[in-house]
Amino acid sequence: MSRMIGTVSMGIRAPIIRQGDDLVEIVTNSILEAMKQDGLQPRDRDVVAMTEAIVARSQGNYASVENIAQDVRNKFGGETVGVIFPILSRNRFAICLRGIASGCKKVVLMLSYPSDEVGNHLIDMDLLDEKGVNPYSDVLTEEKYRELFGYTKHPFTGVDYVEYYTNLIRESGAEVEVIFANDPRAVLKYTKNVLNCDIHTRQRTKRLLRAAGAEKVYGLDEIMNTSINGSGCNERYGLLGSNKATEDTVKLFPRDCQDLVENIQQRLLKETGKHLEVMVYGDGAFKDPVGKIWELADPVVSPAYTSGLEGTPNELKLKYLADNDFADLSGDALKDAIKDKIQHKDGSSLVGNMAAQGTTPRRLTDLIGSLCDLTSGSGDKGTPIIYIQGYFDNFTND
């Protein structure tokens, strides 16, 4: 009888991680304990993943509001700075903004609309149409925005982010002016010094600003990219991927974790005799159809992974084969024909092959990281380690 269960994603409980903890030891022992207590049976090419939060916590990779303020002062000279395209998030950006504002005389806050980069909406798109506003060209002052749209609160958080960010900047000691625009160059009428806070479009934004005459341009990836007075830092991503730790500190995205995943892989091979793949994951990449947020506020889904997780799926679409190549077959004959087709894939890319049409053309780490993020959640499950079996199986595996 063939095995009936395919891919399974399991949350593995672990101790609360503190700075300096040995994650190789903790992750390995957590997997071994799951084998002992719950009968987990490892197989080659199972995937072990750990959330970026426990990696950064073990590294002690934190920065304070004052660290951020000092870095902003170092780069912009403490004058007026255009802070453009931030995401609307108390967890992701509020503490960063406190630090930024503390390092400036004045902040020109430019918000994209109707939503931020990851889908948090300030206003409904239909309301833009009703008011005759073109988000691609129109630049709105705060007064005009309020006249047109009033005081809109986020449907999930109940926060008016315009008011919230404005008050936060003033409380941090800076003057503030708010505008709404989607062309980064609009901010240059107010200041030539710009800190662009967008995540996935940051390189284009910097290019457009510099070409249009901006004098100082830094991205959020260039703030806290070196240590300030002994703080944590992230050389590659700066403040991107950071999360609120306390009211005065943020936990930065983990750094230098390639050795970690490879060391865990070697330790698990020694303990289990199986070759497992290992990765660190952050936000998944998927869209909420109700809240409209598409989740990926981290700069990448996975900052480190073992080599077996390189690439994209190379799969055949079973329903295509059943409806086309083998439309005249059924039962065991259909099953055997499809198995034979899968077994005779030669490993070459199926891109452009009709039999692969509709399979998911995304990187393995993005797909698996999204599965991990959905499995672990962001609340109180207490499962920062994810164990996945059967992800690389197909219809032929018994």
Side-chain angles (χ1 to χ4, degrees):
M1 181 80 178
S2 297
R3 174 160 50 90
M4 297 298 293
I5 296 176
T7 301
V8 177
S9 181
M10 296 169 274
I12 305 295
R13 290 180 177 170
I16 303 300
I17 304 301
R18 296 293 191 187
Q19 180 175 348
D21 284 351
D22 184 345
L23 279 188
V24 175
E25 187 77 12
I26 290 171
V27 172
T28 301
N29 288 343
S30 297
I31 299 299
L32 295 176
E33 191 64 23
M35 293 168 57
K36 178 181 176 181
Q37 285 195 19
D38 300 294
L40 177 64
Q41 296 293 321
R43 308 185 200 122
D44 286 326
R45 298 214 77 190
D46 286 353
V47 179
V48 174
M50 71 211 87
T51 177
E52 58 82 20
I54 65 170
V55 179
R57 285 173 64 84
S58 71
Q59 293 175 341
N61 204 17
Y62 295 87
S64 69
V65 166
E66 181 49 42
N67 296 147
I68 296 168
Q70 184 61 55
D71 203 13
V72 169
R73 282 192 292 268
N74 291 346
K75 291 183 164 81
F76 289 103
E79 297 301 317
T80 299
V81 177
V83 177
I84 71 171
F85 300 157
I87 64 172
L88 307 175
S89 171
R90 293 167 296 175
N91 175 46
R92 287 288 191 170
F93 192 69
I95 307 304
C96 295
L97 183 57
R98 281 186 59 202
I100 293 164
S102 297
C104 301
K105 179 180 179 181
K106 179 180 178 179
V107 170
V108 178
L109 181 67
M110 190 172 91
L111 301 174
S112 56
Y113 74 99
S115 70
D116 69 9
E117 180 184 5
V118 298
N120 288 301
H121 273 63
L122 284 170
I123 45 181
D124 188 86
M125 182 67 85
D126 290 333
L127 194 54
L128 290 182
D129 296 338
E130 179 185 320
K131 300 292 186 179
V133 176
N134 184 343
Y136 301 104
S137 60
D138 293 349
V139 179
L140 307 178
T141 63
E142 184 177 3
E143 292 72 23
K144 186 64 176 178
Y145 170 85
R146 292 301 191 191
E147 175 190 328
L148 290 168
F149 307 115
Y151 288 77
T152 304
K153 294 185 177 181
H154 190 282
F156 287 170
T157 65
V159 173
D160 179 333
Y161 280 95
V162 179
E163 182 178 63
Y164 177 62
Y165 280 179
T166 299
N167 289 340
L168 190 152
I169 291 167
R170 289 197 180 105
E171 290 165 3
S172 300
E175 301 172 43
V176 60
E177 184 171 2
V178 182
I179 61 173
F180 302 81
N182 291 306
D183 185 335
R185 294 165 291 195
V187 77
L188 297 179
K189 294 181 181 179
Y190 300 81
T191 177
K192 302 296 184 183
N193 300 326
V194 186
L195 173 58
N196 64 293
C197 302
D198 46 338
I199 306 161
H200 307 291
T201 55
R202 62 188 183 274
Q203 298 304 337
R204 177 177 183 269
T205 298
K206 291 175 190 176
R207 173 173 56 80
L208 290 174
L209 287 167
R210 288 170 179 147
E215 293 173 1
K216 292 181 181 178
V217 179
Y218 291 95
L220 210 59
D221 57 325
E222 296 168 292
I223 305 298
M224 299 309 305
N225 60 349
T226 59
S227 178
I228 302 295
N229 299 325
S231 72
C233 65
N234 190 303
E235 296 86 350
R236 186 172 182 183
Y237 297 120
L239 283 175
L240 292 180
S242 63
N243 284 272
K244 176 180 178 179
T246 71
E247 293 301 324
D248 297 302
T249 58
V250 292
K251 175 189 63 59
L252 302 173
F253 209 51
R255 56 195 292 215
D256 302 329
C257 42
Q258 188 60 40
D259 285 348
L260 172 66
V261 296
E262 292 175 0
N263 289 340
I264 291 174
Q265 183 183 58
Q266 289 303 311
R267 178 70 182 278
L268 286 169
L269 176 63
K270 178 182 177 182
E271 297 290 344
T272 69
K274 302 297 182 181
H275 183 88
L276 310 181
E277 303 297 344
V278 183
M279 67 182 286
V280 177
Y281 69 95
D283 276 348
F286 46 83
K287 185 168 182 176
D288 179 341
V290 176
K292 302 177 184 177
I293 186 171
W294 70 278
E295 180 67 13
L296 186 55
D298 287 328
V300 291
V301 173
S302 176
Y305 49 88
T306 51
S307 60
L309 297 176
E310 288 279 3
T312 59
N314 199 43
E315 301 172 341
L316 295 169
K317 196 77 168 180
L318 297 191
K319 62 185 180 183
Y320 179 88
L321 295 175
D323 290 344
N324 290 271
D325 294 37
F326 309 120
D328 57 335
L329 299 179
S330 61
D332 287 342
L334 175 59
K335 180 179 177 181
D336 291 342
I338 288 178
K339 281 189 172 184
D340 183 69
K341 191 79 169 180
I342 294 171
Q343 288 169 340
H344 284 86
K345 287 190 299 184
D346 61 7
S348 59
S349 174
L350 293 170
V351 173
N353 187 321
M354 285 298 293
Q357 184 172 290
T359 58
T360 309
R362 293 168 59 190
R363 294 187 304 179
L364 289 168
T365 51
D366 294 341
L367 291 163
I368 297 171
S370 298
L371 175 60
C372 291
D373 191 25
L374 287 166
T375 303
S376 63
S378 58
D380 57 8
K381 288 186 174 65
T383 56
I385 302 166
I386 305 299
Y387 196 95
I388 299 172
Q389 288 196 309
Y391 192 85
F392 295 102
D393 284 2
N394 60 44
F395 193 56
T396 70
N397 293 111
D398 293 326

